[in-house]
Amino acid sequence: MALLLLGAKNLYLSYWQEINRSNEQITNNFTIIADILKNDITRWLNNRENEILVMAQNPLVKEFVDKVTEENNNSGQAAGDLERYWKELSAQYGIYDEIYFVNKSGRILASSNSNRKNSYRPVDDIINVPLRTGGMYFQDAYLSPSTEKPCIALSVPVAADKPGATDASEYAGVLVYRIDIGSVIQPLLESRFNLGNTGEVILIANNRTVISDLRGMPGSALNYILDSEPALRVVRGEEGFWRGTGYNNREMIAVYRHIPKVRWGLIVRQETSEIFGPLKVQLYKSLMTNLLVVLLVLGLFYGLLSKVISPVTDMAGVAKAISSGDFHKRVKIRTNDEIGVLGQALNTMSDELGHHFTMQKCEQNVLKALVSTLEIEKMLEKGLDTVCRSFVFRVGAIFLLDMEKGVLNCKALYCPDQHLMEQREAIKLGEGLESLSVRTRQVQVITDLPEDTCYTVNWLGGNIMPVSIVAVPLLFGTEVMGVMSLASLHRFDERFTRELKIIGALMGVAINNALSYKRTHDLSSRLQHANELLAQQNEELTTQSEELASQSEELQTQTEELQAQAGELRNVTQQLKDKNKELERLGENKTKYFAALSHELRAPLNAVISFSDVLLDKVVGGLTRQQEKYIREIYNSGQHLLNLINDLLDLSKLEIGKIELNLKKIDPSIPLEEAISIVSAEAAQKNLQVTSMVAPDYYSVYADPVRLKQIFLNLLSNALKFTPQGGRIAVGARENKKYLHLWVSDTGIGIPGDCHESIFEEFNQAGNVASAGVYPGTGLGLAITRRMIQMHGGSISVESEPGQGATFTFTLPLANGEDSFVPARSECKIQCPQQGNCAGCDCPRTAAAYLPKPLVKPVLINSLESIGCRWLGGNPTVLVVDDDSSVRDYVAGILEPRGYKILTAENGRKGIELALKEEPDILILDISMPGVDGFRVLEEIGKHCWERGLSVFICTSRDLSIKEKHYLETLVKKLYQK
């Protein structure tokens, strides 16, 4: 009886252990099934959305839709072509119940179901939402009015084939894909998994209405609201496992998942009666067997008593063998009585002890392999090899965790003489069974693998799918070091779980020790290397110290000698300073002398050039051909002499560094156009074509606008001089990294190659020019040009051959994106009668303009004509304030015939009186005048309120400093701030 009770107890415990194991296995299987189905449904929905979007954007479909919506003679043919295309598409994929195009009023113009063509459907959200939002609309499960079947629908607007069609009014209609749930979704749920006679996969909408038919309830789709606990949880967006009463009032096990994309719920369920039924039957049979055994024992007790001694003796021998470590010896079971049960129990105990001994030996072997080396790769390979051989795993791999990159990196593989079909070098966290084991820090087991698993082995020329997959976390305390993935061709024995968990902990400790050893070894190596370097440096420092001591003695001696020499050098330095001051004084005197001399020379030259220009302009009367020839010679000779004076003065300033650059961000086309305007008259006389290919407002350089104009003028004058009648001169530009390359090209006589460098030297001309003697010049123009370009941070070069013309190229730094000084335009307070203010006006009256002496007729005329203010009217008044009568007469002679009213003043005081009395429109003002100079004139007239405005032109032969120009601009701005 005791044996019977003991057997019943063991049977009961075994039953509940099996119940718990089955419960865990079912949960894992249902979880995998639910996750696979969730991914499949989401991916299936994404594919359908992509297909309808591609269809709506298909140019051929849009062309057919446009023809169908026109409802003319071609509409029928277009609808037929579209329907044939959709029928072929439905036949190819076999998932679409109907594809149709409906206009805004609900009329179906084309459909893969010919019976629906030209019929009307309700104008509901399927039509309205895509037209309003311009995007895709998903119609949750509903009962189709046409087929009276549960279905889902996807709709997207089709834009009319018109440019700029963006809103609902420009949409031709809506393209609709309708899918029958019963023929597509239901097979998708039942196609891959066998859940027995009571298991099923249920798909529910957000309102808990079942989308697919329930098992045993045909026609329940969209007609039954599920009120079970998993349904209530999944519609709230929850996911998990549940055991309880189902919708049919029977106990069940269920795993539920939420599909956020469509807010559906997915429930995988099976009744516990089917899951645990075989176990209950087995328990019933065991109880009946034990009852029969009791009855037999009572009847045969006496007969069996004599047979007890021999089995007991055998069991004693087995027990003795077990005590000596031999777990292979077994008791031969001859009967099914208590002795037989006791023998079976002894055999079971021997199996268990043998198993524990074997596991202990395996753990010892693994530990021995782990401590055999500190090289982590070899240690992992040995450990993995020992585990796989000890537990009969066919394939294994060890992955170490890299938290920074979020991956598991493969470090060891086991697959003797074979290879994995899909070997993974790295696994992203969150993917696969390995990641689940890392997250839960528990041993994970899969026994029922799907047919498309990647865990296949190429074995003896064929593919073998493992029966069990095990993922073991490698832990060091609570820290996850990695995971060991194992595959077996046999069903995994749950008894190995505890041992594998222990081995995982041993491996985690070993991995941490190996990594610590590697870090310590690396640190030790670096420390040893640092010590060696330190020792070497100490030796070098000792040697250097000895050398420094020796050098210190030498330096002491040299210091004493240098101190003596320092006194002599101080005396020499003082003498040099005195001489430098004397040289600076002489240089300043030289500059003053050249300035005074140039002013004295320029004054009569201005009269000669100006009046020659007036005579040539025939303002005071006509000229004979001979008189015009002689006056032109006077004009050209005066210009030549003036250029010579300017070149000598510029060269003198360059030599002593007295030229200042007013560098700012400018458009190079502006000074270029001014230079072309100056030489235009001479170019016209020689019938030369001057072309500028530098576009306005396109380039920006950092340069002095006055000096850049002088550079252009020198190069253009040089080209004019050496280009024969009817030739061409061109100016262009191109960007190259940080510089702008500007070039001046002509079709002149050219320059020999051996003179390309010497022409930039002072008082030097090309050999063919110097020998010819027909081209006047001093040879200073190009020398001054090169120096000014170098002051700007650029360079100049020439490309030329005799008779082939010449191209001079110079560079200036680009000013793109740089902050530089650009004089701000003064705010104009003039109340314009036609505009109300100067907003948007391009009138240059709010800034000072400069007219260098001698005045050049084209420059003077263009400057005055550039004033676009409407206040000037047709006959502006011009006040000329200059102590040089030739300048006053020249301006009057040029401007009066062109309709200007001229007022003149011979000094600053009279100029102030006339300005305040007459309120002229334009002021031409000389700066260098005796008594009241130009600065004082502007200061005084700036106190007056100029309601009509005043355009100021500074006319001087002086080279104004940057400070003087800034002061002039400040004075002019005050005129417009009253």
Side-chain angles (χ1 to χ4, degrees):
M1 184 61 67
L3 291 176
L4 181 62
L5 294 175
L6 180 62
K9 178 182 178 181
N10 289 336
L11 181 63
Y12 178 79
L13 293 176
S14 298
Y15 170 75
W16 280 109
Q17 288 179 355
E18 190 65 23
I19 287 291
N20 292 332
R21 188 191 68 79
S22 299
N23 192 24
E24 181 179 357
Q25 182 177 351
I26 288 297
T27 302
N28 291 336
N29 292 343
F30 280 13
T31 299
I32 294 173
I33 292 172
D35 289 338
I36 291 173
L37 286 174
K38 175 181 177 180
N39 292 335
D40 288 348
I41 292 173
T42 302
R43 183 170 58 252
W44 184 87
L45 289 170
N46 289 334
N47 291 338
R48 302 295 79 75
E49 289 182 356
N50 291 335
E51 288 169 3
I52 190 171
L53 286 174
V54 171
M55 177 68 73
Q57 297 297 326
N58 189 324
L60 183 61
V61 172
K62 293 175 71 176
E63 179 183 352
F64 285 155
V65 167
D66 287 339
K67 292 180 179 179
V68 169
T69 55
E70 290 174 359
E71 299 188 11
N72 53 26
N73 295 333
N74 297 326
S75 300
Q77 182 178 353
D81 294 338
L82 198 58
E83 291 169 354
R84 283 192 295 275
Y85 173 59
W86 286 342
K87 288 178 180 178
E88 292 175 359
L89 187 66
S90 299
Q92 179 181 358
Y93 289 97
I95 59 176
Y96 301 116
D97 186 45
E98 182 182 5
I99 303 174
Y100 63 90
F101 173 77
V102 58
N103 63 15
K104 300 175 184 178
S105 62
R107 182 184 176 188
I108 300 176
L109 300 180
S111 172
S112 60
N113 183 358
S114 301
N115 295 329
R116 293 252 289 164
K117 183 177 179 182
N118 293 324
S119 63
Y120 284 86
R121 70 172 317 282
V123 181
D124 52 12
D125 287 346
I126 290 182
I127 298 176
N128 291 330
V129 173
L131 292 176
R132 184 178 67 252
T133 63
M136 180 180 296
Y137 174 71
F138 172 78
Q139 174 65 51
D140 207 345
Y142 70 103
L143 194 64
S144 172
S146 60
T147 63
E148 297 184 353
K149 294 181 179 180
C151 61
I152 60 174
L154 299 171
S155 62
V156 66
V158 178
D161 193 8
K162 300 177 182 177
T166 57
D167 54 18
S169 63
E170 299 296 337
Y171 290 127
V174 176
L175 178 64
V176 183
Y177 278 26
R178 193 180 74 238
I179 302 170
D180 185 358
I181 294 176
S183 60
V184 178
I185 302 295
Q186 191 74 29
L188 180 65
L189 301 177
E190 300 174 353
S191 60
R192 299 175 58 185
F193 308 102
N194 183 10
L195 296 177
N197 295 324
T198 63
E200 62 181 324
V201 179
I202 304 173
L203 198 62
I204 65 174
N206 192 47
N207 59 358
R208 294 187 285 111
T209 301
V210 295
I211 297 175
S212 57
D213 284 340
L214 297 175
R215 194 163 194 168
M217 295 179 63
S220 58
L222 301 182
N223 294 319
Y224 186 81
I225 297 178
L226 202 61
D227 57 358
S228 62
E229 186 64 24
L232 295 173
R233 293 182 181 182
V234 78
V235 296
R236 294 196 299 264
E238 299 179 11
E239 295 185 349
F241 164 80
W242 186 80
R243 180 172 179 175
T245 303
Y247 67 87
N248 55 359
N249 296 322
R250 296 177 183 176
E251 188 179 18
M252 67 171 183
I253 293 177
V255 172
Y256 48 94
R257 291 290 183 267
H258 183 65
I259 303 176
K261 185 175 187 65
V262 291
R263 303 198 314 174
W264 286 356
L266 179 71
I267 302 174
V268 180
R269 63 178 295 278
Q270 189 174 10
E271 295 179 4
T272 56
S273 59
E274 183 177 13
I275 297 174
F276 304 116
L279 292 177
K280 293 180 179 180
V281 171
Q282 182 179 358
L283 177 63
Y284 176 77
K285 291 181 178 179
S286 299
L287 289 174
M288 294 301 296
T289 301
N290 288 337
L291 182 60
L292 292 175
V293 168
V294 169
L295 296 175
L296 291 174
V297 167
L298 292 177
L300 301 175
F301 176 77
Y302 180 78
L304 296 177
L305 184 62
S306 60
K307 300 179 181 180
V308 171
I309 301 302
S310 177
V312 169
T313 303
D314 293 341
M315 286 186 282
V318 171
K320 185 176 181 180
I322 291 174
S323 64
S324 63
D326 183 5
F327 302 101
H328 298 287
K329 194 170 183 180
R330 296 290 183 271
V331 176
K332 294 181 180 180
I333 306 301
R334 298 182 178 87
T335 62
N336 292 325
D337 55 9
E338 288 85 346
I339 298 300
V341 172
L342 181 61
Q344 183 64 40
L346 187 61
N347 289 339
T348 301
M349 183 183 68
S350 179
D351 289 338
E352 292 295 330
L353 290 175
H355 171 73
H356 287 300
F357 179 77
T358 302
M359 291 300 99
Q360 185 178 8
K361 187 175 181 180
C362 289
E363 292 175 7
Q364 291 176 353
N365 292 336
V366 171
L367 186 61
K368 184 185 296 183
L370 294 176
V371 300
S372 64
T373 180
L374 286 174
E375 295 184 15
I376 190 166
E377 288 80 7
K378 293 182 179 179
M379 179 193 72
L380 294 177
E381 290 177 357
K382 288 184 177 180
L384 180 62
D385 182 87
T386 304
V387 170
C388 291
R389 294 182 184 276
S390 299
F391 291 90
V392 197
F393 285 107
R394 184 62 62 188
V395 177
I398 292 179
F399 298 86
L400 295 187
L401 177 62
D402 187 343
M403 286 300 296
E404 292 183 359
K405 296 182 179 179
V407 296
L408 293 164
N409 295 315
C410 183
K411 295 296 183 180
L413 285 172
Y414 174 82
C415 189
D417 302 326
Q418 306 297 329
H419 64 274
L420 284 172
M421 290 296 291
E422 294 187 13
Q423 178 178 332
R424 294 178 292 176
E425 295 294 335
I427 301 174
K428 292 182 180 180
L429 286 180
E431 297 180 357
L433 188 66
E434 294 81 1
S435 297
L436 179 62
S437 179
V438 169
R439 181 171 59 83
T440 60
R441 292 178 171 80
Q442 298 294 330
V443 177
Q444 301 293 334
V445 182
I446 295 180
T447 55
D448 296 324
L449 276 74
E451 296 180 357
D452 60 348
T453 178
C454 65
Y455 296 97
T456 58
V457 182
N458 185 352
W459 188 259
L460 300 178
N463 294 337
I464 300 178
M465 185 173 68
V467 176
S468 302
I469 299 294
V470 183
V472 182
L474 309 180
L475 303 176
F476 176 68
T478 59
E479 181 182 0
V480 180
M481 308 299 295
V483 64
M484 178 169 58
S485 182
L486 305 168
S488 175
L489 300 179
H490 307 285
R491 181 169 291 275
F492 179 71
D493 192 342
E494 294 294 335
R495 295 181 301 171
F496 293 159
T497 302
R498 177 179 172 278
E499 283 74 19
L500 288 177
K501 189 173 183 179
I502 294 173
I503 290 174
L506 293 176
M507 282 192 169
V509 174
I511 291 170
N512 182 72
N513 292 339
L515 294 176
S516 300
Y517 169 77
K518 184 178 180 181
R519 289 193 292 268
T520 304
H521 184 267
D522 294 341
L523 183 60
S524 176
S525 299
R526 290 196 297 271
L527 184 61
Q528 182 178 357
H529 180 65
N531 289 333
E532 293 175 355
L533 289 177
L534 185 60
Q536 182 180 356
Q537 291 174 356
N538 287 334
E539 294 177 0
E540 293 176 355
L541 287 174
T542 303
T543 305
Q544 291 175 357
S545 178
E546 296 174 354
E547 293 176 354
L548 287 173
S550 175
Q551 292 175 358
S552 178
E553 296 177 358
E554 295 178 0
L555 286 174
Q556 182 66 29
T557 304
Q558 293 176 359
T559 301
E560 295 175 355
E561 295 176 355
L562 289 174
Q563 288 177 350
Q565 295 175 359
E568 299 176 0
L569 286 175
R570 282 193 292 270
N571 295 331
V572 174
T573 301
Q574 186 61 41
Q575 295 174 4
L576 290 175
K577 288 181 178 179
D578 295 339
K579 290 182 179 180
N580 285 337
K581 291 181 180 179
E582 181 66 21
L583 289 174
E584 290 177 359
R585 187 181 63 80
L586 292 175
E588 291 178 357
N589 291 338
K590 180 181 177 182
T591 302
K592 293 178 181 179
Y593 170 74
F594 272 109
L597 179 61
S598 65
H599 185 270
E600 293 300 323
L601 290 174
R602 282 172 175 173
L605 278 175
N606 289 340
V608 172
I609 294 171
S610 299
F611 289 122
S612 299
D613 193 16
V614 171
L615 292 173
L616 290 172
D617 202 27
K618 300 177 182 180
V619 174
V620 296
L623 299 174
T624 65
R625 181 173 299 177
Q626 192 70 17
Q627 289 172 339
E628 184 176 354
K629 177 181 178 183
Y630 292 156
I631 293 174
R632 192 172 300 282
E633 287 295 332
I634 294 171
Y635 177 81
N636 292 336
S637 299
Q639 287 285 10
H640 176 66
L641 185 57
L642 180 63
N643 291 336
L644 176 60
I645 293 171
N646 291 336
D647 289 346
L648 288 172
L649 184 60
D650 287 340
L651 181 61
S652 174
K653 291 181 179 179
L654 286 168
E655 288 178 349
I656 62 175
K658 289 296 183 180
I659 288 185
E660 295 180 300
L661 294 182
N662 184 18
L663 297 176
K664 59 179 71 175
K665 184 177 179 181
I666 64 170
D667 181 358
S669 67
I670 297 175
L672 172 60
E673 291 298 330
E674 293 176 357
I676 291 176
S677 176
I678 293 174
V679 301
S680 60
E682 185 178 352
Q685 291 174 7
K686 296 183 67 175
N687 193 22
L688 298 178
Q689 181 182 353
V690 181
T691 305
S692 172
M693 293 181 285
V694 181
D697 301 323
Y698 190 79
Y699 300 107
S700 180
V701 296
Y702 200 53
D704 185 328
V706 176
R707 296 302 176 184
L708 181 55
K709 172 183 172 182
Q710 184 178 350
I711 291 170
F712 280 126
L713 189 58
N714 286 350
L715 293 176
L716 288 171
S717 299
N718 194 66
L720 285 170
K721 183 191 300 184
F722 297 110
T723 303
Q725 292 278 349
R728 296 185 305 277
I729 299 173
V731 185
R734 65 179 183 277
E735 288 187 11
N736 185 5
K737 296 181 179 178
K738 296 183 179 181
Y739 289 90
L740 179 66
H741 290 241
L742 293 149
W743 50 268
V744 179
S745 178
D746 61 60
T747 58
I749 63 174
I751 304 170
D754 56 353
C755 298
H756 285 183
E757 291 296 329
S758 61
I759 60 174
F760 294 106
E761 300 174 0
E762 290 83 357
F763 306 105
N764 200 341
Q765 291 182 314
N768 59 342
V769 174
S771 61
V774 296
Y775 298 99
T778 60
L780 290 176
L782 290 178
I784 293 172
T785 299
R786 181 171 68 172
R787 290 201 184 187
M788 288 186 178
I789 291 172
Q790 290 172 347
M791 290 176 66
H792 283 80
S795 62
I796 186 171
S797 62
V798 63
E799 296 180 6
S800 178
E801 293 182 7
Q804 300 297 321
T807 300
F808 287 85
T809 304
F810 66 96
T811 61
L812 291 175
L814 286 167
N816 295 334
E818 297 184 8
D819 294 327
S820 59
F821 173 76
V822 179
R825 184 166 182 169
S826 176
E827 182 181 1
C828 183
K829 299 295 185 179
I830 302 173
Q831 295 300 316
C832 182
Q834 297 186 33
Q835 290 188 198
N837 54 49
C838 291
C841 179
D842 60 354
C843 172
R845 304 188 72 193
T846 58
Y850 296 92
L851 295 173
K853 291 182 179 180
L855 292 174
V856 180
K857 181 177 64 179
V859 176
L860 175 62
I861 295 172
N862 291 339
S863 298
L864 268 62
E865 290 180 350
S866 66
I867 302 175
C869 184
R870 297 177 177 88
W871 272 108
L872 294 182
N875 300 103
T877 301
V878 180
L879 173 59
V880 183
V881 183
D882 199 310
D883 61 334
D884 190 346
S885 60
S886 63
V887 174
R888 300 194 301 272
D889 294 340
Y890 175 72
V891 173
I894 293 298
L895 298 182
E896 282 181 342
R898 289 170 171 80
Y900 290 88
K901 180 181 178 181
I902 306 299
L903 302 174
T904 61
E906 64 274 11
N907 56 55
R909 178 61 60 189
K910 187 175 181 180
I912 295 172
E913 294 175 358
L914 281 175
L916 298 179
K917 178 181 178 181
E918 301 294 337
E919 292 190 351
D921 300 301
I922 301 170
L923 173 63
I924 298 178
L925 177 64
D926 185 17
I927 293 298
S928 302
M929 293 185 294
V932 179
D933 60 8
F935 294 103
R936 182 66 182 278
V937 173
L938 286 176
E939 290 172 358
E940 292 298 325
I941 67 174
K943 301 175 183 178
H944 180 66
C945 180
W946 296 87
E947 295 180 355
R948 292 170 54 88
L950 178 63
S951 298
V952 180
F953 292 88
I954 306 301
C955 180
T956 181
S957 58
R958 276 182 51 185
D959 286 331
L960 298 176
S961 66
I962 296 175
K963 184 177 180 181
E964 290 174 329
K965 289 183 179 181
H966 286 176
Y967 184 56
L968 284 173
E969 291 169 357
T970 302
L971 292 176
V972 173
K973 290 177 183 178
K974 290 182 179 180
L975 298 174
Y976 297 91
Q977 295 175 352
K978 297 295 182 183

